Amino acid sequence: MMLSVTFGIYLLSLIAIGVYFYFQDDATLPREYLIADRNVGPWPMAFSQIASMASGWTFFAWVGIGFTLGFFGFWWAFITVALYILLYRYLAPKFRRQSEELDSITMVDHLSRFYEARGSEMASVIRLIGGITVLVFLTAYVGAQIIAVGDAADIGLGIDYTTAIVVGGVAVALYTGLGGFNASVWTDFLQGILMVFLAFALPVALIANIGGWGTFASRATTEYPNLVSLSAGLGTVDLITLMAIFGTFAIAAIGQPHSLVRFQAIESERVISKAMVIAMFISATRMTMPLLIGVSARVLYETAEALPAANPENAAMFAIVDLFPAWLAGILLAGVVSAILSTSDSMLLLLTSDAIRLYEKYINPDASQQRKVVLSRLLVATVALFGVVIAFFRPGTLFDIILFAFVGLGVALGLPLVLLLFWDRMTAEGVVAGLVVGLGSNIVHAFWIATDLYPIFTWPVTIVAILGVCLVTGGEREVTQPAGATPED
Amino acid sequence: MLAQAMLFGLPALTVLAFLLVWSLLLVAYVLYRIDMERADGYISIFGWRGE
């Protein structure tokens, strides 16, 4: 009972944040609703950027990897955290600056407006195909998050799965729909703090229950030598294959629109460096500590059969309920659900942002600001409902759905954006090629061809398509800067 | 030799990999300090701003 009360208070506090921003006057403006008028400080920006990436992955799938493969995951952790340094130092400043010049509010909007400003007729095609791409991958992603909410509430609170996915869907739709980007950022900030707390508290409790660090290290090394080895006991070919799969998975961080929109919204290019340090702390935490949770849970519980549904991905949830008093378990459970909801709300906003731009472009160019905000809120509710439906039917495992959506976004959106920012010969046709081939190759590779090696091949196929089309269609792009523009502007 | 070594009761390479991930936080902080002192907070390459 106490556990449910604590968790209920957490959900209500999220909705309260949404209601607070709903009553702020400025929230009637779409840009305020969608990217907080580019006025987000480094702390909420960094916390929300990483929290929006955490998803059900961190405390379910990543803990499961720790439970089954152990500290092998440090390879992937290093690639991911190092990639964030590159994203913050090289992509973020240029993206932020260009985004303000173009007045773009999402990745798709950016790709389209960039070529629209240069008079390309392909800009509308980019917006349409980009919108479809986002719709396909983010809806699947939202569905995966709601599945995770259902599992979390089912295992942690004993709530029926169907009820849990409906409650989770309604909560996230309410606070995102009411408060928009501001609510998303500030709830992500709160959720990020809870996640960090959980990431440190849970391994401490697990190791204390095992008998302290010495006992844990001794038992892990002797009873589970593969778990504490960087090679996970795999042969060379398997190791290289697995590293290639994990590596191509990690690189997809370059194309997550719900995460990169934080770069568009940050208050100034001058605070990106500071935000990077904060983001590195949270990122290193979320990439290393869940592995420790997984390994220590394996030592404590010994086998997956001891976990709900005999699923290693449920280790963290089970340990929370098993090891902590009810009131604290409720708070920690909120930390797990936080990782999920913070991703979902960001995705919902992104989807509606691109849908609103499509509405303006093709249906009602003269729509009032108020009408667009109302429409945004209706869309948030609709997509959340669709996510609940996906969660109800569970078309695949959590890992499969997230892998598909994450890589799909990275390939189809990330590659065109990176090339647009850093390669002068990138053309509008090249962006379209990236979107089409990225979307198509991802689906074909995931479901039909070389599925065991997914997502290794979707990257080179898409890169070759983009480069080929650009070389055929383009001369050198004219580099334009609005008169008087400075990096700070 | 290092492959067999132990650190804090775990294989040394594993512990070093963990520390390597966290050392990126230190790298980020050093770069941030350089940005603050030499480039007025802007992202820079050791104080030099490309554009």
Side-chain angles (χ1 to χ4, degrees):
Chain A
M1 180 63 185
M2 177 60 78
L3 199 152
S4 298
V5 168
T6 314
F7 186 71
I9 290 170
Y10 160 73
L11 279 185
L12 286 176
S13 67
L14 295 183
I15 294 169
I17 290 174
V19 171
Y20 170 78
F21 283 110
Y22 176 75
F23 286 108
Q24 298 298 300
D25 290 339
D26 289 345
T28 53
L29 299 169
R31 199 199 294 165
E32 177 72 16
Y33 178 80
L34 296 172
I35 58 167
D37 211 16
R38 298 188 207 281
N39 196 28
V40 182
W43 281 91
M45 180 270 181
F47 263 85
S48 69
Q49 194 259 326
I50 302 296
S52 71
M53 293 286 282
S55 81
W57 173 262
T58 301
F59 291 112
F60 282 87
W62 201 226
V63 168
I65 293 291
F67 197 94
T68 51
L69 290 175
F71 293 132
F72 162 83
F74 285 150
W75 291 107
W76 202 58
F78 180 78
I79 294 171
T80 302
V81 180
L83 184 67
Y84 275 117
I85 290 189
L86 296 178
L87 284 180
Y88 270 81
R89 296 199 71 75
Y90 298 107
L91 189 143
K94 199 162 183 175
F95 189 33
R96 166 68 175 79
R97 200 180 316 147
Q98 213 176 66
S99 176
E100 184 158 14
E101 289 165 12
L102 297 169
D103 196 26
S104 65
I105 57 173
T106 68
M107 279 177 78
V108 172
D109 191 39
H110 192 90
L111 292 169
S112 175
R113 279 177 177 255
F114 184 88
Y115 291 104
E116 195 176 70
R118 284 151 182 79
S120 172
E121 292 175 354
M122 298 301 283
S124 298
V125 180
I126 292 172
R127 189 176 295 285
L128 187 61
I129 301 176
I132 293 169
T133 304
V134 165
L135 189 69
V136 169
F137 293 123
L138 280 193
T139 305
Y141 219 149
V142 169
Q145 303 314 311
I146 296 177
I147 288 173
V149 170
D151 283 344
D154 188 12
I155 299 163
L157 301 175
I159 296 174
D160 167 62
Y161 174 79
T162 308
T163 308
I165 60 175
V166 172
V167 171
V170 168
V172 73
L174 260 179
Y175 78 75
T176 311
L178 290 175
F181 190 84
N182 256 323
S184 170
V185 164
W186 284 101
T187 51
D188 283 4
F189 185 42
L190 171 69
Q191 290 161 345
I193 293 169
L194 275 172
M195 280 165 46
V196 170
F197 176 63
L198 172 63
F200 285 100
L202 192 51
V204 167
L206 280 161
I207 290 167
N209 270 271
I210 291 166
W213 179 265
T215 311
F216 160 71
S218 167
R219 283 190 58 193
T221 308
T222 53
E223 295 172 28
Y224 306 99
N226 289 342
L227 288 189
V228 297
S229 158
L230 281 181
S231 68
L234 298 169
T236 307
V237 174
D238 287 342
L239 189 62
I240 291 172
T241 305
L242 203 54
M243 284 174 71
I245 289 171
F246 275 47
T248 46
F249 188 173
I251 294 169
I254 63 171
Q256 306 306 308
H258 51 290
S259 168
L260 298 191
V261 70
R262 266 66 184 169
F263 294 152
Q264 292 173 280
I266 196 164
E267 66 184 28
S268 163
E269 199 182 323
R270 292 170 68 175
V271 299
I272 289 175
S273 190
K274 182 177 183 180
M276 173 184 68
V277 181
I278 302 162
M280 285 310 105
F281 169 72
I282 312 162
S283 198
T285 300
R286 88 171 180 98
M287 292 308 298
T288 55
M289 301 313 282
L291 293 174
L292 186 56
I293 292 171
V295 173
S296 50
R298 179 72 176 274
V299 173
L300 184 62
Y301 300 119
E302 297 183 350
T303 168
E305 307 306 319
L307 305 173
N311 185 353
E313 292 186 345
N314 292 332
M317 295 304 308
F318 182 72
I320 287 171
V321 179
D322 186 38
L323 302 179
F324 291 99
W327 66 270
L328 186 53
I331 294 172
L332 295 177
L333 180 65
V336 174
V337 175
S338 292
I340 303 163
L341 294 187
S342 56
T343 305
S344 308
D345 61 36
S346 307
M347 290 172 178
L348 287 173
L349 274 176
L350 248 297
L351 266 172
T352 55
S353 305
D354 284 325
I356 290 293
R357 290 291 202 195
L358 278 173
Y359 172 77
E360 280 179 303
K361 183 77 184 173
Y362 294 107
I363 299 174
N364 186 1
D366 301 321
S368 67
Q369 308 283 52
Q370 193 62 39
R371 185 181 183 85
K372 285 185 275 191
V373 170
V374 171
L375 194 61
S376 296
R377 288 178 177 138
L378 286 174
L379 279 167
V380 165
T382 307
V383 176
L385 178 66
F386 202 63
V388 170
V389 172
I390 290 176
F392 183 76
F393 289 107
R394 295 188 82 132
T397 66
L398 201 61
F399 177 88
D400 291 339
I401 301 172
I402 291 177
L403 179 67
F404 170 72
F406 192 82
V407 174
L409 290 167
V411 174
L413 288 180
L415 279 176
L417 179 72
V418 169
L419 288 168
L420 180 148
L421 290 173
F422 297 105
W423 190 42
D424 284 343
R425 298 186 69 176
M426 185 66 174
T427 64
E429 291 81 2
V431 173
V432 173
L435 289 168
V436 172
V437 177
L439 177 63
S441 68
N442 200 60
I443 291 170
V444 169
H445 192 4
F447 295 105
W448 289 293
I449 296 177
T451 53
D452 288 350
L453 296 175
Y454 179 78
I456 294 174
F457 297 121
T458 186
W459 289 94
V461 168
T462 309
I463 289 171
V464 167
I466 294 174
L467 297 185
V469 170
C470 287
L471 293 176
V472 169
T473 57
E476 190 151 329
R477 190 175 77 202
E478 185 187 350
V479 179
T480 56
Q481 286 278 349
T486 67
E488 173 60 8
D489 295 335
Chain B
M1 181 70 85
L2 192 60
Q4 274 81 44
M6 303 294 277
L7 211 54
F8 304 113
L10 295 174
L13 281 177
T14 301
V15 177
L16 289 176
F18 175 84
L19 294 175
L20 189 63
V21 176
W22 279 91
S23 73
L24 292 171
L25 175 62
L26 184 64
V27 170
Y29 181 73
V30 169
L31 291 171
Y32 159 67
R33 293 305 309 173
I34 293 172
D35 291 338
M36 287 303 291
E37 288 174 18
R38 298 191 193 170
D40 199 21
Y42 287 104
I43 296 287
S44 69
I45 301 171
F46 299 111
W48 176 76
R49 282 173 57 194
E51 52 183 303

